[in-house]
Amino acid sequence: MPRAPVVSIALVRGRATGNGSELILACDMTFASREKAIISQWEVGVGMVAGGGPMARLPALIGRNRALQVLLSSDDFRADQAEAFGYINHSLPDAELEAYVDRLAKRIAGFDKWAIGETKRLVNTGLAPDVELGAGWDSCINSIGRASTQRSIKALIAEGFHAPGEVEDHLGQYIGDLNP
C-alpha cells in the first residue's frame, strides 16, 4: 500500500492491534476516534516477533525509543497518546471522525492523480526497503512455533483472546498479567 500511486487512509474506531496496527502503519494516513480507538503491537508479550513490518516502519514514524516502547511493552495506546507519538495523524472526537476523514479523502481525490502519485513516490524514498519487512516476517513465523509462545497464546485464548469481551478490550493489561 505505501508504494501504490493512490492514497490510503485508515479510520480507526475500535482496536487496531497486531495485524490491525500493521495495516494502519502501511496506510498513508490514519485518523482515530479519541474515545474508542486502541492501538498496539502485543506480540512480544507472548514471545512473538511481529510480522507485518512494524520494526521497519515504526522507528521512522515515531522514533527508535518510542518504537521500542510500543513494541516491547505490548501495551494498549489510546488515540491521544498514539497521536502524540506520531503513530497516527490525528485523533478526533468520535462524532466528528467520519466526516473529517470523508472530507479529506474527497479533497485529495479531486486533485491531479499524477501529482498525487509523484508526490507519494518522492516521499517514499524514506521508506524502509522491502527486505527489512521480509526479515521481520521471517522472525514472526519462527517465533510462532516456540513452546513458550504457544503456552502464552493458549493462556490468552483460555481467558477470551480473539473473542469479543474483556481480554480484547484490555489486551495490554492481560498481556502484562501473563508475565508479572
Side-chain angles (χ1 to χ4, degrees):
M1 286 189 338
R3 298 193 199 301
V6 297
V7 179
S8 56
I9 301 174
L11 182 152
V12 181
R13 181 172 266 135
R15 291 193 69 83
T17 59
N19 290 341
S21 169
E22 292 155 14
L23 181 61
I24 68 171
L25 288 170
C27 288
D28 297 316
M29 297 174 224
T30 300
F31 302 90
S33 166
R34 201 168 285 147
E35 298 89 355
K36 297 179 180 180
I38 298 171
I39 302 167
S40 76
Q41 289 292 158
W42 56 270
E43 293 88 348
V44 168
V46 296
M48 286 178 56
V49 174
M55 286 80 64
R57 291 187 172 122
L58 268 174
L61 189 62
I62 67 175
R64 179 185 177 276
N65 295 356
R66 285 183 172 158
L68 287 170
Q69 180 181 351
V70 167
L71 292 162
L72 298 180
S73 74
S74 295
D75 210 351
D76 293 336
F77 290 85
R78 305 290 308 179
D80 58 343
Q81 187 174 16
E83 178 183 12
F85 273 23
Y87 202 144
I88 64 171
N89 291 72
H90 194 38
S91 65
L92 296 117
D94 190 66
E96 300 171 21
L97 179 63
E98 202 162 321
Y100 180 90
V101 172
D102 191 51
R103 229 179 358 264
L104 176 64
K106 286 178 180 173
R107 177 182 173 92
I108 293 169
F111 295 152
D112 183 83
K113 306 307 177 237
W114 178 86
I116 292 169
E118 272 301 286
T119 299
K120 275 193 66 175
R121 184 183 68 77
L122 294 167
V123 168
N124 284 347
T125 60
L127 290 179
D130 290 343
V131 69
E132 290 182 29
L133 297 172
W137 180 252
D138 292 344
S139 288
C140 174
I141 295 303
N142 291 332
S143 69
I144 291 171
R146 297 176 61 238
S148 61
T149 301
Q150 290 297 309
R151 280 192 302 276
S152 293
I153 291 173
K154 285 177 185 174
L156 276 177
I157 289 172
E159 294 287 327
F161 184 50
H162 282 292
E166 182 67 19
V167 175
E168 285 294 320
D169 291 344
H170 301 98
L171 185 58
Q173 175 186 329
Y174 280 84
I175 295 277
D177 291 346
L178 283 176
N179 306 295

